[in-house]
C-alpha cells in the first residue's frame, strides 16, 4: 500500500525543459521533473502520490520492482493522469505533455510507454533475464485498462509506438551524450574543495549548464549556466559562486567539456547508435540485442586500450546511461554479458570504425 516508502531513491539531473504539446512518445523521466517535488522527496514520497485514490495507487504500483509501491517514473505518470485527485493539481507543464482535454493523445502516449516495457520484458524473459511472466501480465493489465477506456485500440498504441520510437531514442541519446559527470577538484581553496558535478551542453544553442554539490555546498545543488564555455569559466571565476572554485577547478571544467561525448564523437557515430537502438526497440530479438551489446563492448574496450582513453570512458558511460534509462534490467544484462563476451563480433570492421570515429 502507499503508506510504504521504497528504499530506492530516483535522482534526476537538473536541466531546463521547454514544454511543447506534441505527439511524441512520453519521456517519463522528463515528465516527472516537471512536478515541483519538495527537497528530500522522490517518486515514492510526494504530495501527488499521497493525494491519489487508493484504488488508483494499487492499479499502477505493480509495474516496478516493489509491486506495492509507486516507485518508478512510469508508475508516477500513470497515476498522475488516471487518478482524478492528482490530475486536478498537476502543473500546467505536465498537462501540456499529457493533456486532460485530449484523452486520446494521452492514452496513446501512456499506452506506448507501457507497451515499450512489455516489449523489453518479453525479450528479457526469452533470453533468460531476471524479468518474469507476472511482470508482463501486470503491464498487460495496465495496457488493457488504458485501451478499455475506449479512446484508443491496442493496434493504434502499437502503431504510435513504432512511428515515434526513432525520435524518442534520438532525444535520449542526444541528452545523455551531451552530458558528463565528474568530480570537480580544486587545488588551492582553503579547505581544498571537491564537488560532485554534472555538465550538460545544449546541442541546439551550445549553452552549458554546470550542476554541482556535496559536502562543501551543504549538500545543496548549485547551478551555473552560460551561453558558451568561456562565459561559463568567467561565471565560475567572477560570479556569485566564485568562492566554490579556484583556477584548477575552472581548468578541470574546461577539460571535461572537451570530453563531452557529443562534442568528440562523430555525427555519423551518434547516428549509428540511434539506428542500432531503434532496430532493437522496434524488434527486440537476439540479433538486434547482440548489436546493442557489442556497441558497449566496443566502447568499453576502447576505454581501457593503451592504458585508458578518457574520451571513451565518457562515451561508454553515456551509452550505459542510455541503456539503463530505457530499462534498468536491460542495461544490467548488457554490462553482465560484456564480462563474458569481450569481442564485438557482431559488428563489421566498417561499423566499428564508424562508431569510434572522433571529430
Amino acid at each position: 500500500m502507499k503508506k510504504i516508502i521504497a528504499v530506492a531513491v530516483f535522482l534526476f539531473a537538473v536541466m531546463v525543459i521547454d514544454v511543447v504539446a506534441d505527439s511524441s512518445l512520453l519521456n517519463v523521466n522528463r515528465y516527472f521533473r516537471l512536478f515541483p517535488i519538495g527537497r528530500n522527496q522522490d517518486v515514492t514520497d510526494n504530495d501527488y502520490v499521497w493525494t491519489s485514490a487508493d484504488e488508483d495507487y494499487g492499479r499502477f504500483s505493480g509495474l516496478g520492482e516493489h509491486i506495492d509501491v509507486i516507485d518508478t517514473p512510469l508508475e508516477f505518470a500513470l497515476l498522475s493522469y488516471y487518478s482524478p485527485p492528482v490530475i486536478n493539481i498537476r502543473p500546467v507543464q505536465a498537462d501540456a505533455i499529457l493533456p486532460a482535454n485530449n484523452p486520446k493523445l494521452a492514452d496513446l502516449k501512456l499506452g506506448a510507454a507501457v507497451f515499450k516495457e512489455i516489449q523489453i520484458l518479453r525479450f528479457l524473459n526469452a533470453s533468460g533475464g531476471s524479468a518474469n511472466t507476472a511482470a508482463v501480465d501486470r503491464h498487460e493489465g495496465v495496457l488493457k485498462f488504458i485501451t478499455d477506456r475506449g479512446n484508443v485500440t491496442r493496434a493504434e498504441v502499437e502503431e504510435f509506438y513504432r512511428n515515434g520510437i526513432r525520435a524518442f531514442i534520438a532525444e535520449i541519446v542526444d541528452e545523455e551524450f551531451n552530458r558528463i559527470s565528474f568530480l570537480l577538484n580544486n587545488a588551492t581553496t582553503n579547505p581544498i574543495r571537491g564537488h560532485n558535478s554534472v555538465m550538460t551542453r545544449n546541442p541546439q544553442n551550445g549553452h552549458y549548464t554546470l550542476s554541482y554539490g556535496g559536502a562543501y555546498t551543504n549538500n545543496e545543488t548549485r547551478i551555473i549556466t552560460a551561453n558558451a564555455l568561456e562565459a561559463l569559466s568567467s561565471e565560475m571565476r567572477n560570479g556569485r559562486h566564485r568562492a566554490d572554485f579556484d583556477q584548477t577547478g575552472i581548468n578541470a571544467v574546461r577539460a571535461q567539456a572537451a570530453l563531452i561525448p557529443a562534442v568528440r564523437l562523430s555525427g555519423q557515430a551518434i547516428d549509428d547508435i540511434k539506428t542500432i537502438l531503434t532496430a532493437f526497440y522496434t524488434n527486440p530479438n537476439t540479433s538486434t540485442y547482440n548489436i546493442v551489446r557489442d556497441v558497449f563492448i566496443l566502447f568499453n574496450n576502447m576505454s581501457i586500450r593503451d592504458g585508458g582513453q578518457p574520451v571513451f570512458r565518457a562515451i561508454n558511460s553515456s551509452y550505459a546511461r542510455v541503456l539503463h534509462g530505457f530499462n534498468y534490467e536491460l542495461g544490467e544484462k548488457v554490462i553482465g554479458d560484456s564480462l563474458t563476451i569481450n569481442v564485438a563480433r557482431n559488428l563489421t570492421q566498417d561499423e566499428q570504425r564508424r562508431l569510434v570515429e572522433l571529430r
Side-chain angles (χ1 to χ4, degrees), residues 23 119 243 351:
S23 58
Q119 293 274 87
E351 288 170 331

Side-chain angles (χ1 to χ4, degrees), residues 211-242:
S211 173
Y212 66 96
Y216 297 108
T217 65
N218 295 319
N219 293 314
E220 165 193 314
T221 298
R222 296 176 181 171
I223 300 172
I224 300 175
T225 59
N227 59 12
L229 187 57
E230 283 296 335
L232 180 66
S233 297
S234 177
E235 183 64 22
M236 293 172 67
R237 186 180 297 110
N238 304 310
R240 67 190 184 95
H241 295 310
R242 59 185 177 275

Side-chain angles (χ1 to χ4, degrees), residues 5-10 42 44 66 69 71:
I5 302 297
V7 175
V9 176
F10 288 81
D42 59 11
T44 68
H66 304 276
V69 180
D71 61 350

Side-chain angles (χ1 to χ4, degrees), residues 55-353:
E55 180 183 4
D56 300 323
Y57 190 100
R59 176 179 289 118
F60 303 121
S61 63
L63 304 188
E65 179 182 359
H66 304 276
I67 63 173
D68 295 325
V69 180
I70 295 291
D71 61 350
T72 70
L74 174 57
E75 291 172 330
F76 181 91
L78 291 160
L79 187 73
S80 77
Y81 190 80
Y82 293 124
S83 186
V86 185
I87 196 172
N88 291 332
I89 60 171
R90 293 184 309 161
V92 63
Q93 299 96 326
D95 187 72
I97 300 298
L98 295 176
N101 64 356
N102 191 343
K104 181 179 179 69
L105 177 58
D107 284 355
L108 284 171
K109 288 188 171 190
L110 288 163
V114 175
F115 178 72
K116 178 171 71 70
E117 293 304 303
I118 292 172
Q119 293 274 87
I120 302 308
L121 285 169
R122 290 192 187 280
F123 168 76
L124 291 172
N125 281 343
S127 59
S130 60
N132 56 63
T133 302
V136 175
D137 291 344
R138 288 193 293 270
H139 282 75
E140 286 284 3
V142 170
L143 183 53
K144 185 176 186 300
F145 164 80
I146 293 172
T147 56
D148 281 352
R149 282 161 48 86
N151 300 311
V152 297
T153 66
R154 171 74 175 249
E156 288 174 322
V157 168
E158 293 187 18
E159 182 182 15
F160 184 79
Y161 171 83
R162 288 192 298 271
N163 290 341
I165 190 61
R166 167 77 191 204
F168 176 81
I169 285 172
E171 173 190 318
I172 303 300
V173 170
D174 286 340
E175 181 177 315
E176 292 298 344
F177 276 68
N178 276 283
R179 175 180 298 144
I180 190 166
S181 302
F182 57 99
L183 179 62
L184 190 165
N185 280 320
N186 294 290
T188 60
T189 53
N190 186 20
I192 294 175
R193 297 182 176 189
H195 309 298
N196 295 315
S197 305
V198 176
M199 181 163 44
T200 60
R201 173 183 172 271
N202 187 317
Q204 276 72 50
N205 55 27
H207 292 185
Y208 287 84
T209 299
L210 178 66
S211 173
Y212 66 96
Y216 297 108
T217 65
N218 295 319
N219 293 314
E220 165 193 314
T221 298
R222 296 176 181 171
I223 300 172
I224 300 175
T225 59
N227 59 12
L229 187 57
E230 283 296 335
L232 180 66
S233 297
S234 177
E235 183 64 22
M236 293 172 67
R237 186 180 297 110
N238 304 310
R240 67 190 184 95
H241 295 310
R242 59 185 177 275
D244 293 336
F245 312 104
D246 64 8
Q247 190 59 46
T248 299
I250 295 170
N251 292 343
V253 167
R254 295 183 64 86
Q256 290 294 323
L259 298 176
I260 292 176
V263 172
R264 294 299 311 279
L265 204 55
S266 74
Q268 180 63 64
I270 292 177
D271 191 63
D272 281 356
I273 291 168
K274 295 173 183 177
T275 299
I276 288 166
L277 290 170
T278 299
F280 173 72
Y281 269 86
T282 301
N283 187 17
N285 57 46
T286 300
S287 296
T288 54
Y289 168 78
N290 286 345
I291 301 295
V292 170
R293 179 202 63 207
D294 282 7
V295 173
F296 179 87
I297 291 172
L298 176 65
F299 289 156
N300 191 56
N301 288 346
M302 291 295 294
S303 73
I304 61 178
R305 188 171 122 184
D306 302 326
Q309 298 189 46
V311 65
F312 281 103
R313 286 200 294 270
I315 290 168
N316 204 37
S317 292
S318 289
Y319 187 66
R321 287 198 306 269
V322 168
L323 297 178
H324 279 106
F326 287 149
N327 182 281
Y328 183 80
E329 294 299 331
L330 176 69
E332 289 297 285
K333 176 174 172 57
V334 167
I335 293 173
D337 288 350
S338 70
L339 298 177
T340 56
I341 305 171
N342 57 12
V343 178
R345 64 185 64 152
N346 295 280
L347 294 168
T348 67
Q349 289 298 313
D350 186 56
E351 288 170 331
Q352 293 185 46
R353 178 192 58 76

